[in-house]
Amino acid sequence: MLTAIRYEPGTLYLLDQRVLPAEERWLALATASEVAEAIRCMVVRGAPAIAIAAGYGLALAARRGSDLDEAARTLVAARPTAVNLRWGVDRVRQARDIEAAARDLHDDDLRVNLALGEHGATLLDGGVLTICNTGALATGGHGTALGMVRSAIAHGRDIHLYACETRPWFQGARLTAWECAQDRIRCTLVADGAAASVLASGRARAVVVGCDRVARNGDTANKLGTLNLAVIARHFGVPLYVAMPWSSYDPATATGRDIIVEERDPAELGGYQHGPVDAWNPAFDVTPAELVSAWVTETGVVRVLGEG
Amino acid sequence: MLTAIRYEPGTLYLLDQRVLPAEERWLALATASEVAEAIRCMVVRGAPAIAIAAGYGLALAARRGSDLDEAARTLVAARPTAVNLRWGVDRVRQARDIEAAARDLHDDDLRVNLALGEHGATLLDGGVLTICNTGALATGGHGTALGMVRSAIAHGRDIHLYACETRPWFQGARLTAWECAQDRIRCTLVADGAAASVLASGRARAVVVGCDRVARNGDTANKLGTLNLAVIARHFGVPLYVAMPWSSYDPATATGRDIIVEERDPAELGGYQHGPVDAWNPAFDVTPAELVSAWVTETGVVRVLGEG
């Protein structure tokens, strides 16, 4: 099974997702702060995957006898938006056997994704539009939104995935396309600007995305561009499904307004290196709950029943 | 004034827009087929600009005593979507003095854009979202949608432009950002996926775009991603203005369904060079007339009055 995270006592190996698919380079990390830096600079990305990596970061700190509270703070601070990061670090920090807890977190994530995929499989058929990478590379294996696609295919559904490039990091073009090629999932890459064309032409009949934090009221933070897809899906009468492991649900955050959206270096945007103009580079956006058709979790499909 | 097209008898000079802003490289072309190739491979782009370049292509053919009908066919076939290309070639082809007609076409375009800008200037104030490049680089000067912005600023409007990167060619990130920097237009570059965030946050209160062909009923073909913006603008109650020189209006095409949308090489998409997945790379999309608030032309602002 495709994996991007391997742990051996004292060393965390991460597949460097900044250079895929041109190169399959594994980095070996020995300390929690190395792990935090790898999360910050996107060697590893995807809400579940950064939680798993951070759990192992604590395991590295425990093995070296480092201050676990300080390690936990450093890891949680690496990226602000995904709530899984804090959740994973808290869960591992509270355990007696830190290393075993980190492994459990990793193993559980795969089980969660397989269960989530089963619940979501029947929602998908035919063309499906997605954004970013929500597959094995973004998780402990199988994936969340891409996991639903994998499960649907396993159930014999004739899925054709349309993957948005996902600027500025090209997670769709580089990572989802690569995963699909590895697993022979039928996948057509499109520019982010083609989303409306994909739906208007009937190529896709559902949109499926992951999430980084879902507020108590269902407002959903996910990769920048998700709100575009949500509005466009609603316009064309196409359902939007959010693959949401419960570790991404944050009842402590009341609404989307309370979610901190990470703003990254403008230099990630194209042409910026040559031009003296300003740039705005939020890594996420927040989709209001009313634009989400259902949240697919490891325990079942959650729908908000409308006023009607 | 910023220009990307210069003609001297027997030679057409084009600023190579594929390498801007890293490099300001001028290419010297001597034949109509060289001009057609420059249009095809996007040395010059933008519906008005390719019409002007094609007009000069005919002038080159006339000077060399080449077959003008063949030259006209080659030039018109270079790109299928923008109707200005055929319109410009037909206009120059019918003239007695081909070279003078080509120069007239170029001069007229600047006048048209200045007039269009005047008509559109009062529609814009504060934050404005745009896509692609619709400025001097895309036209004979001043620009269409970006011309409206220039004119609005000249009228003292406090405009802040938000420019979508515009994948896959980055016309926004490379060309619009560069033009804005040259002319000190306040401009913030954003990823295409940030369009909904720009409007949801109130940063922009209008969307302004160019067009490549407007069908008789108002359906509007423009750079891929325009339909995304149109749907998102409608959702957030923000007006969408299409800057449309009458040379882009095509009464011979009944509706958007009849517009040929050019599909370009999938290799233009990110990551594609490394991955064996399929890709779909339409260069344009078609926005239904009902999503357009107004078309701004050189003779005035055209609105379709609703059923209400």
Side-chain angles (χ1 to χ4, degrees):
Chain A
M1 177 180 279
L2 190 60
T3 181
I5 304 173
R6 284 191 293 116
Y7 181 76
E8 290 172 14
T11 310
L12 175 63
Y13 297 92
L14 295 177
L15 182 58
D16 188 345
Q17 300 193 30
R18 299 169 304 177
V19 297
L20 278 176
E23 200 180 325
E24 295 183 31
R25 179 200 299 166
W26 286 84
L27 303 184
L29 310 179
T31 69
S33 38
E34 285 176 15
V35 176
E37 181 53 27
I39 292 169
R40 195 159 26 239
C41 71
M42 298 177 68
V43 168
V44 58
R45 28 61 53 200
I50 64 178
I52 294 164
Y56 285 130
L58 273 187
L60 295 175
R63 204 158 251 279
R64 297 169 73 93
S66 309
D67 183 326
L68 287 180
D69 289 325
E70 194 191 318
R73 274 193 300 275
T74 305
L75 289 160
V76 167
R79 295 195 72 188
T81 302
V83 70
N84 315 54
L85 183 56
R86 172 177 292 279
W87 170 86
V89 167
D90 285 351
R91 173 174 151 170
V92 173
R93 176 72 190 87
Q94 285 156 17
R96 287 214 183 150
D97 183 340
I98 298 283
E99 199 161 61
R103 287 192 189 279
D104 280 350
L105 183 74
H106 192 172
D107 295 343
D108 276 358
D109 189 66
L110 174 58
R111 279 191 288 269
V112 160
N113 294 338
L114 290 168
L116 189 158
E118 283 301 305
H119 287 296
T122 56
L123 298 174
L124 304 182
D125 205 2
V128 174
L129 178 63
T130 194
I131 189 169
C132 201
N133 171 266
T134 56
L137 293 171
T139 64
H142 194 69
T144 55
L146 190 51
M148 281 172 60
V149 167
R150 283 197 164 96
S151 297
I153 292 169
H155 282 271
R157 299 293 175 112
D158 184 29
I159 304 286
H160 188 129
L161 194 64
Y162 288 84
C164 290
E165 282 187 318
T166 318
R167 286 288 300 157
W169 275 82
F170 286 124
Q171 289 96 334
R174 297 188 299 107
L175 307 180
T176 298
W178 185 73
E179 272 203 53
C180 288
Q182 301 259 323
D183 276 7
R184 304 194 179 197
I185 296 167
R186 276 199 303 156
C187 175
T188 295
L189 180 65
V190 294
D192 298 331
S197 294
V198 169
L199 299 192
S201 63
R203 282 176 168 79
R205 299 187 295 181
V207 179
V208 61
V209 300
C211 59
D212 291 84
R213 185 186 299 240
V214 177
R216 186 163 68 243
N217 73 339
D219 292 350
T220 297
N222 189 45
K223 172 56 51 201
L224 183 77
T226 301
L227 180 56
N228 280 18
L229 299 189
V231 169
I232 292 165
R234 179 58 52 96
H235 179 82
F236 288 107
V238 163
L240 168 70
Y241 300 116
V242 173
M244 182 191 77
W246 282 110
S247 58
S248 293
Y249 184 63
D250 181 21
T253 296
T255 76
R257 289 173 184 274
D258 307 305
I259 297 174
I260 296 168
V261 170
E262 176 186 6
E263 299 196 4
R264 293 182 64 88
D265 187 347
E268 291 178 358
L269 292 178
Y272 185 77
Q273 55 279 22
H274 306 298
V277 301
D278 187 22
W280 182 47
N281 185 23
F284 305 94
D285 57 28
V286 178
T287 296
E290 61 263 28
L291 292 178
V292 177
S293 304
W295 293 262
V296 181
T297 80
E298 64 269 35
T299 58
V301 177
V302 178
R303 293 180 192 268
V304 172
L305 299 179
E307 299 82 12
Chain B
M1 176 180 278
L2 190 60
T3 182
I5 304 173
R6 284 191 294 117
Y7 180 76
E8 290 172 14
T11 310
L12 176 62
Y13 297 93
L14 295 177
L15 182 58
D16 188 345
Q17 300 193 30
R18 299 169 304 177
V19 297
L20 278 176
E23 201 181 324
E24 294 182 32
R25 178 200 299 165
W26 287 84
L27 303 184
L29 310 179
T31 69
S33 38
E34 285 175 16
V35 175
E37 181 53 27
I39 292 169
R40 195 160 25 240
C41 72
M42 297 178 68
V43 168
V44 57
R45 25 65 51 201
I50 65 177
I52 294 163
Y56 285 130
L58 273 187
L60 295 174
R63 204 158 250 280
R64 297 170 73 94
S66 310
D67 183 325
L68 286 179
D69 289 325
E70 193 189 319
R73 274 194 300 275
T74 305
L75 288 161
V76 166
R79 296 193 72 188
T81 302
V83 70
N84 315 54
L85 183 56
R86 171 176 293 278
W87 169 86
V89 166
D90 285 351
R91 173 173 151 170
V92 172
R93 177 70 190 88
Q94 285 156 18
R96 288 217 183 149
D97 183 339
I98 299 283
E99 199 161 62
R103 287 191 191 277
D104 280 350
L105 184 74
H106 192 173
D107 295 343
D108 276 358
D109 188 67
L110 175 57
R111 280 190 288 271
V112 160
N113 294 337
L114 290 169
L116 188 159
E118 284 301 305
H119 288 296
T122 56
L123 297 173
L124 305 181
D125 206 2
V128 174
L129 178 64
T130 193
I131 188 169
C132 202
N133 172 266
T134 56
L137 293 171
T139 64
H142 193 69
T144 55
L146 191 51
M148 283 173 58
V149 168
R150 282 196 165 96
S151 298
I153 292 169
H155 282 271
R157 299 293 176 112
D158 185 29
I159 305 286
H160 189 128
L161 193 65
Y162 287 83
C164 289
E165 282 186 318
T166 318
R167 288 286 301 159
W169 276 81
F170 285 126
Q171 290 95 333
R174 296 188 300 106
L175 307 180
T176 297
W178 185 73
E179 273 203 52
C180 287
Q182 303 260 323
D183 277 7
R184 304 192 180 201
I185 297 168
R186 277 198 302 154
C187 176
T188 296
L189 179 66
V190 293
D192 298 331
S197 294
V198 168
L199 299 192
S201 63
R203 281 176 169 79
R205 297 186 298 180
V207 178
V208 61
V209 301
C211 58
D212 291 83
R213 185 185 299 238
V214 177
R216 186 162 69 242
N217 73 339
D219 292 349
T220 297
N222 189 47
K223 172 56 51 200
L224 182 77
T226 302
L227 180 57
N228 280 19
L229 299 189
V231 169
I232 293 165
R234 179 57 52 97
H235 179 82
F236 288 107
V238 163
L240 169 70
Y241 300 117
V242 173
M244 181 191 78
W246 282 110
S247 58
S248 294
Y249 184 63
D250 181 21
T253 297
T255 75
R257 288 173 185 274
D258 307 305
I259 298 174
I260 296 169
V261 170
E262 176 186 6
E263 300 196 3
R264 294 183 63 88
D265 187 347
E268 292 178 357
L269 292 178
Y272 185 79
Q273 55 279 23
H274 306 298
V277 301
D278 187 22
W280 182 47
N281 185 23
F284 305 94
D285 56 28
V286 179
T287 297
E290 60 264 28
L291 292 178
V292 177
S293 305
W295 294 262
V296 181
T297 80
E298 64 269 35
T299 58
V301 177
V302 177
R303 292 179 192 269
V304 172
L305 299 177
E307 300 82 13

